[in-house]
Amino acid sequence: MKRPLLTALLYAALTLGANPAAAIDPETRQIILDMREDDMRKMKILEEPTDLVTTEFEDVDGNKMTFADTNGQFRLVNFWATWCAPCREEMPALDALQLEMGGDDFQVMTIATGRNRLSGIHKFYAEAEVTDLPILLDPKGRLATRMGALGLPVTVLLDREGREIARLTGGADWASDNAMAVLNALMTEE
């Protein structure tokens, strides 16, 4: 008799604690999955958003920040390194994406993880003509590790509350029409 009561209580607690409005509707999720082409086919769209990660990272001046500091807008967070060839290859597309979609509701955040000299980042940005991306740093790789970015590049889409809703491992053409359409669909659904 105790087991059915315990099961009912556990189910009720989980139901009350769930936030169905935060999840992407299954039919809409499938539509978005089906619209992915080329590089975007690698994007995994989560059925349920994951919790906000509170691990700190730094801006170029050494100021500590967390994703909560930019809540209220969607963030495309790209973990990269100066020594990573696919990272360097996709950076101009991320810059173009920021130029096209960046604003009050959307921000591309490129976070150099691990040992990356600031002078090397500046040199690369100049060579690649990257002008619209921030320089953010995760010098000890703690944020990347906490977010499961074990290989590079890894790109994570965060909702307005800082929860992960999608992830793409490997390089991608983020300036493609399909990439922007998928991102817009995900942002509209949220």
Side-chain angles (χ1 to χ4, degrees), residues 25-39:
D25 172 80
E27 287 181 36
T28 304
R29 180 177 179 274
Q30 190 58 53
I31 290 168
I32 296 170
L33 285 169
D34 291 343
M35 73 185 289
R36 299 169 306 146
E37 299 172 357
D38 303 322
D39 293 336

Side-chain angles (χ1 to χ4, degrees), residues 73 95-108 132:
Q73 61 183 189
D95 192 53
L97 176 66
Q98 174 62 23
L99 186 61
E100 179 70 27
M101 290 182 58
D104 292 339
D105 197 40
F106 180 81
Q107 176 73 32
V108 176
D132 289 295

Side-chain angles (χ1 to χ4, degrees), residues 49-142:
T50 63
D51 292 334
L52 171 70
V53 173
T54 58
T55 306
E56 292 181 332
F57 53 98
E58 302 173 6
D59 68 12
V60 72
D61 297 319
N63 298 312
K64 305 286 187 201
M65 57 192 308
T66 67
F67 292 127
D69 296 330
T70 56
N71 277 354
Q73 61 183 189
F74 283 90
R75 276 89 13 119
L76 186 137
V77 179
N78 178 267
F79 290 98
W80 74 289
T82 54
W83 49 262
C84 167
C87 301
R88 294 173 67 95
E89 186 177 316
E90 79 175 342
M91 197 63 69
L94 288 164
D95 192 53
L97 176 66
Q98 174 62 23
L99 186 61
E100 179 70 27
M101 290 182 58
D104 292 339
D105 197 40
F106 180 81
Q107 176 73 32
V108 176
M109 300 174 74
T110 50
I111 302 178
T113 188
R115 297 179 186 211
N116 294 279
R117 290 194 169 142
L118 196 51
S119 61
I121 295 172
H122 284 296
K123 180 180 176 188
F124 168 67
Y125 271 37
E127 290 171 354
E129 299 179 358
V130 171
T131 58
D132 289 295
L133 295 177
I135 295 176
L136 301 170
L137 308 165
D138 179 27
K140 295 184 179 175
R142 289 183 182 141

Side-chain angles (χ1 to χ4, degrees), residues 40 96-97 100-101 173-185:
M40 291 301 106
L97 176 66
E100 179 70 27
M101 290 182 58
D173 180 3
W174 291 102
S176 72
D177 290 340
N178 186 246
M180 290 187 207
V182 169
L183 291 171
N184 277 313

